[in-house]
Amino acid sequence: MSKGQLSPQRKTLRGPRGQVGYEVWGAGKPPLLLVAGLGSRTTLWGELPRLLSEHFTVLAYDHRGVGRSPGGAPFTLAGSAEDGAAVLAAEGMDSAAVVGVSMGGLVACHLAFRYPSRVRRLVVASSAARLTPHGERVLAFFASIFKLPPEEAGQALMAFAFSPQFTDRFPGFVDTAARLYSLPPEDLPGALAQLAHLRQGWDLRPILGHIRCPALVIAGELDPLVSAAYTKEIADALPNARFRLVPGAAHSVLAEGGSELLQEIIRFCLGQS
């Protein structure tokens, strides 16, 4: 079996909201768009795009204000969905499976709502349907974390990204993730702008009922940042969704779910389940 493309093509486009930096892994296979979380560059995905490129042409883009998507219009969830649609259009892809995690799940839902013909299948992981009082406290915590030196911030986030059991079993993996989560100083203003937008609040429930594509909604049973119950609200509001709870997992549920969950996502995005 192929192990996927070893390195991506790095590209930029000039969209209606400004420059968008993105990566393409593989070619000639069904398209899949990855949408990352708060303050994240494409590098945060680690090995996942390479693994997925065995089965898909994988695209991933930097959110507005970080990485190779500097400046332009202010960050919004709907605006980031517009950036994602622009990436698909630039690559000549009429539609794709879309996988969004954490804040990226919110963006993915906006993409499916605003551009229904672009989203063939939707995967949302570790995302909340709305901003709750608990969520407000989590975002305040991120505002404090972002003030730390990048390496310290990355290490601190690992206490919430992975369950204690996973961290103790795979300390090297978590150390690598901490480095990926470390926010470069040049990305701090953009990440803070994203955070400020989120702190204004959101509620996906009014739009979720209009999203008709098949959806897989995933939550970690022990996620301390986004309660599984709030993620399930997304599944309950989507007309054609299946909810998947990963026992013992925290916020980084795609990693903690291991190969079994990855294969489930692959089958779903290929329309095999």
Side-chain angles (χ1 to χ4, degrees), residues 42-259:
T42 55
T43 52
L44 183 68
W45 292 108
E47 289 289 294
L48 184 62
R50 182 184 63 79
L51 295 172
L52 289 171
S53 70
E54 295 182 26
H55 308 274
F56 305 97
T57 299
V58 180
L59 302 97
Y61 65 101
D62 293 333
H63 286 302
R64 177 70 43 213
V66 301
R68 293 182 299 116
S69 299
F75 175 86
T76 65
L77 296 172
S80 190
E82 188 174 348
D83 287 342
V87 169
L88 293 176
E91 291 299 312
M93 296 174 174
D94 294 331
S95 65
V98 177
V99 178
V101 300
S102 197
M103 184 186 79
L106 313 181
V107 174
C109 288
H110 276 278
L111 180 57
F113 171 68
R114 292 168 60 88
Y115 304 93
S117 65
R118 291 281 188 195
V119 182
R120 185 179 306 156
R121 289 189 161 236
L122 175 67
V123 179
V124 176
S126 304
S127 306
R130 55 196 169 93
L131 182 60
T132 65
H134 173 261
E136 292 174 358
R137 292 179 181 273
V138 169
L139 294 180
F141 161 76
F142 272 95
S144 298
I145 286 290
F146 284 166
K147 296 176 183 177
L148 295 174
E151 291 183 3
E152 291 183 26
Q155 290 292 346
L157 287 171
M158 294 305 96
F160 304 91
F162 298 99
S163 68
Q165 292 79 11
F166 187 92
T167 299
D168 292 343
R169 286 181 62 196
F170 305 105
F173 181 94
V174 175
D175 284 342
T176 298
R179 289 191 290 272
L180 294 175
Y181 270 87
S182 297
L183 191 67
E186 62 270 25
D187 284 355
L188 181 58
L192 289 174
Q194 294 171 22
L195 180 61
H197 176 70
L198 292 178
R199 296 182 79 173
Q200 294 175 19
W202 73 87
D203 190 343
L204 295 178
R205 292 172 297 177
I207 70 172
L208 293 175
H210 299 280
I211 298 172
R212 301 295 175 180
C213 65
L216 175 62
V217 180
I218 305 168
E221 178 189 24
L222 304 180
D223 189 339
L225 300 177
V226 178
S227 167
Y230 297 141
T231 303
K232 189 174 184 296
E233 287 183 352
I234 295 177
D236 291 343
L238 288 167
N240 190 15
R242 173 160 55 92
F243 180 65
R244 171 74 150 85
L245 184 68
V246 180
H251 193 63
S252 294
V253 67
L254 297 191
E256 292 196 61
S259 59

